[in-house]
Amino acid sequence: DVKVTQSSRYLVKRTGEKVFLECVQDMDHENMFWYRQDPGLGLRLIYFSYDVKMKEKGDIPEGYSVSREKKERFSLILESASTNQTSMYLCASTRQQTNEKLFFGSGTQLSVL
Amino acid sequence: GENVEQHPSTLSVQEGDSAVIKCTYSDSASNYFPWYKQELGKRPQLIIDIRSNVGEKKDQRIAVTLNKTAKHFSLHITETQPEDSAVYFCAAGPLGAGSYQLTFGKGTKLSVIP
């Protein structure tokens, strides 16, 4: 069974903290994505990566950065968390050179106080 | 960039009735249109997708139709069951080597009343 695993289901952080959200996939997929899900706003793409050490900005990259040092792992970094970054964060992956059939993780609900 | 509008935002139907969710897109370069279903507390999962060279696709009780001229596509669920209750997201984007980005609609919360 294919798996995209996000390290935390719930996370509570304070304003100004540096936050790391981790995602690991076991499908040998080349592409990995970070989405943010907010009620009434759907899924919005933050960053994606199509290869190790490669990254591309999505629609809402401000306030975020990413790291992909290994093929199976894609990290989302909030350099200085703010309250408007309270959200559900979803990681996803797909096979090479396609956006077909995204496999999503279970999500991390981040609260920034 | 691409803009995807999805309607309605909420939909309630009686068990056994049909449900229709509609999406419009803006970028004529988009040629791939998937639908994802997210049950409460769970991850989104692909339920059906369609490419622009096809006008309709069916999979048991669900079907998707595409009108490229009008830039809209729809999800049809027949004989709805309580387990169809979920949030449904449409999306649009390019398909081909090096295509990665999908733009999602804001979602439709479908409630099937037993």
Side-chain angles (χ1 to χ4, degrees):
Chain A
D1 192 19
V2 296
K3 272 193 178 166
V4 179
T5 304
Q6 294 183 231
S7 55
S8 303
R9 187 73 177 97
Y10 299 96
L11 212 52
V12 180
K13 296 292 180 180
R14 297 230 175 254
T15 303
E17 278 193 79
K18 189 169 186 175
V19 181
F20 293 85
L21 303 183
E22 306 287 346
C23 176
V24 177
Q25 51 93 5
D26 67 357
M27 296 167 284
D28 202 34
H29 282 172
E30 279 74 17
N31 307 326
M32 296 188 75
F33 306 79
W34 275 106
Y35 285 89
R36 173 176 170 159
Q37 182 175 18
D38 299 287
L41 295 180
L43 300 166
R44 294 180 291 167
L45 182 63
I46 305 171
Y47 267 96
F48 65 97
S49 168
Y50 53 87
D51 202 351
V52 174
K53 296 193 185 294
M54 304 304 290
K55 60 184 179 183
E56 293 284 345
K57 293 180 180 179
D59 298 318
I60 52 165
E62 297 79 19
Y64 304 95
S65 62
V66 291
S67 172
R68 188 144 181 226
E69 296 297 318
K70 293 185 178 181
K71 188 177 185 180
E72 66 271 18
R73 186 179 298 271
F74 192 34
S75 303
L76 180 69
I77 304 156
L78 287 67
E79 294 289 340
S80 177
S82 63
T83 54
N84 62 11
Q85 293 179 308
T86 291
S87 185
M88 170 66 80
Y89 291 89
L90 288 164
C91 175
S93 71
T94 63
R95 57 185 175 87
Q96 188 176 24
Q97 293 191 357
T98 180
N99 52 15
E100 292 179 275
K101 200 163 188 177
L102 287 165
F103 287 92
F104 283 91
S106 296
T108 296
Q109 178 62 52
L110 173 67
S111 297
V112 183
L113 307 177
Chain B
E2 177 63 276
N3 182 49
V4 176
E5 299 282 341
Q6 182 172 348
H7 299 279
S9 56
T10 59
L11 179 60
S12 291
V13 299
Q14 290 291 137
E15 183 177 356
D17 286 351
S18 295
V20 181
I21 302 170
K22 298 181 179 181
C23 290
T24 61
Y25 63 99
S26 62
D27 191 346
S28 56
S30 289
N31 54 8
Y32 175 61
F33 308 93
W35 288 86
Y36 284 80
K37 175 184 179 182
Q38 186 177 29
E39 296 177 36
L40 188 63
K42 296 191 176 180
R43 68 193 76 194
Q45 290 191 300
L46 178 71
I47 55 171
I48 195 167
D49 57 8
I50 192 168
R51 300 183 181 196
S52 62
N53 57 349
V54 175
E56 182 175 2
K57 185 176 179 180
K58 288 181 90 170
D59 183 3
Q60 299 182 337
R61 294 186 298 106
I62 62 173
V64 57
T65 59
L66 170 65
N67 183 328
K68 273 216 71 137
T69 303
K71 293 198 184 73
H72 65 72
F73 56 111
S74 301
L75 178 71
H76 304 253
I77 306 173
T78 59
E79 300 172 20
T80 53
Q81 300 168 6
E83 52 265 38
D84 295 328
S85 295
V87 178
Y88 292 81
F89 294 98
C90 64
L95 187 64
S99 297
Y100 306 103
Q101 286 200 279
L102 282 176
T103 301
F104 283 83
K106 293 180 179 178
T108 296
K109 184 177 180 181
L110 173 64
S111 300
V112 179
I113 304 162

